[in-house]
Amino acid sequence: MTGPGGGTPLRRLVVLRHAKSAWPEGVPDHERPLAPRGRRDAPAAGRALAEAGCVPDLALCSTAVRARGTWELAAARWDARPPVRFDPRLYGADVPELLDVVHETPTEVETLLLVGHNPGLEELVLDLAGDGLDDALDEVRLKFPTSAVAVLAWYGPDWRALTPGTALLTSMTVPRGEKPRA
C-alpha cells in the first residue's frame, strides 16, 4: 500500500512486550523464562496479530529467554514464520538504541515486529506516536503491560525515516490466553 502522493509505502512497526516472566531464584535476569501466564498469553498475542493482519515481514527479538519464548509461541500461531533476528542490543535498550536497530531494517520490509522489554518499548511507542486512534495513546501512557501489542503506522521511503512524532498509533491491545480450568 502506498501513501499520499503515490510512491511512499505504508509501513507498520508492531511492538510486542515479552509475555509474563518467572522469577526463579538464582537465575540471572537475561535467563528468566516465561511464567505459566506468559506461556498462555504469548500464543494469544500471535493469534491477535494474525487476526489483525499484522504478521510481520521480519521480526527483531531480544536475546533474553523470556523474549525468545514469547517470539516462538506467538509465531507458532501463523501460517508462515517470517525471518527473525535475535539482537542482543534489544535487551535493556532505551529509545535511541531501539531506533538504531529499527533504522537498520531493510527497505523491502513493510511490517516489522519488535519483541523486547520495558521501559524502552513503552517509551519508544510514546516517542514515535505523533497521534493515536481512539484512546490508544492514553492506554500506553497508563500502562504497557506484559504481552502488550502496539501498532504504529507511517509512510516512509525506508526505516531511517521513522523519527519521533511521525507515526500514528493505530492500536494497543493486551491479548490474554485462557486460564486452565480446575
Side-chain angles (χ1 to χ4, degrees):
M1 176 182 267
T2 57
T8 308
L10 172 67
R11 298 183 186 278
R12 292 181 301 182
L13 175 61
V14 180
V15 178
L16 171 59
R17 183 175 174 199
H18 67 77
K20 184 74 175 170
S21 60
W23 293 84
E25 190 173 324
V27 174
D29 184 71
H30 188 272
E31 304 306 313
R32 288 178 26 228
L34 290 175
R37 189 178 98 198
R39 290 192 299 277
R40 289 192 310 267
D41 292 348
R47 193 169 38 256
L49 288 172
E51 290 169 359
C54 282
V55 174
D57 303 314
L58 174 67
L60 303 176
C61 183
S62 163
T63 55
V65 170
R66 59 193 179 274
R68 292 174 73 109
T70 300
W71 157 254
E72 290 296 330
L73 291 169
R77 294 299 185 176
W78 305 330
D79 292 335
R81 283 187 186 214
V84 61
R85 295 182 187 159
F86 297 102
D87 193 322
R89 295 175 295 172
L90 297 176
Y91 176 70
D94 60 15
V95 171
E97 293 166 320
L98 291 167
L99 273 176
D100 284 347
V101 174
V102 168
H103 286 164
E104 295 170 5
T105 302
T107 302
E108 63 272 11
V109 172
E110 292 185 358
T111 300
L112 175 67
L113 173 64
L114 190 60
V115 183
H117 313 269
N118 255 5
L121 291 185
E122 177 179 336
E123 292 167 357
L124 178 71
V125 170
L126 293 173
D127 198 46
L128 293 176
D131 200 1
L133 296 181
D134 302 320
D135 57 355
L137 267 173
D138 291 335
E139 289 178 33
V140 174
R141 285 184 189 114
L142 181 64
K143 188 174 184 182
F144 197 68
T146 56
S147 300
V149 178
V151 180
L152 295 148
W154 59 286
Y155 291 97
D158 61 34
W159 288 90
R160 290 201 163 283
L162 180 58
T163 57
T166 60
L168 175 68
L169 180 60
T170 61
S171 68
M172 197 296 244
T173 58
V174 185
R176 295 293 187 212
E178 291 186 31
K179 293 181 181 179
R181 295 179 184 199

